[in-house]
Amino acid sequence: ITSLNHKLAMLNNAKESLLMDIKHNNVLGEDVEARIKDLCKPNEFDKYKMFIGDLDKVVNLLLSLSGRLARVENVLSGLGEDSTDEEKNLLNEKRKIGR
């Protein structure tokens, strides 16, 4: 139980650190956006906002695909001798698609 409590405390510290990083990055992003808005024409600023929106979608898609690939590889590494060839082939195909 002590080990679990220690791991939980470490995870909570990491979570707090990540939340602070998110807040800091949001502040920086707002500052950059304000500077760009001041320096650019309205149509250029609209293009910037559209680019940032598209970039956000791409990053989220990459994170999602990376997570899926990691899950498939974890399952593959955990397969035992009793798993069927069909299961292994299916997971290998998913891994190939993910790469």
Side-chain angles (χ1 to χ4, degrees):
I1 291 180
T2 305
S3 174
L4 289 176
N5 285 333
H6 178 68
K7 288 180 182 179
L8 184 59
M10 287 176 52
L11 288 173
N12 283 330
N13 288 339
K15 180 181 177 181
E16 289 176 20
S17 176
L18 285 173
L19 290 174
M20 287 181 3
D21 287 347
I22 288 170
K23 287 179 184 178
H24 180 70
N25 285 335
N26 285 339
V27 169
L28 290 174
E30 290 168 3
D31 184 45
V32 168
E33 186 174 308
R35 288 181 188 200
I36 290 174
K37 189 172 186 175
D38 290 342
L39 296 173
C40 295
K41 298 174 188 174
N43 64 332
E44 292 172 334
F45 182 70
D46 290 340
K47 286 180 185 178
Y48 164 79
K49 292 288 284 182
M50 192 179 322
F51 171 77
I52 294 299
D54 291 345
L55 184 62
D56 187 46
K57 290 175 187 174
V58 169
V59 168
N60 285 331
L61 178 60
L62 288 172
L63 289 172
S64 173
L65 291 173
S66 175
R68 288 181 185 183
L69 182 58
R71 283 192 296 275
V72 167
E73 288 182 350
N74 284 340
V75 170
L76 269 173
S77 67
L79 285 179
E81 296 289 328
D82 58 343
S83 56
T84 65
D85 287 338
E86 184 179 338
E87 288 175 319
K88 291 178 185 177
N89 289 336
L90 178 63
L91 290 170
N92 279 319
E93 285 299 316
K94 286 184 178 182
R95 182 170 60 180
K96 286 178 189 175
I97 291 170
R99 289 185 177 193

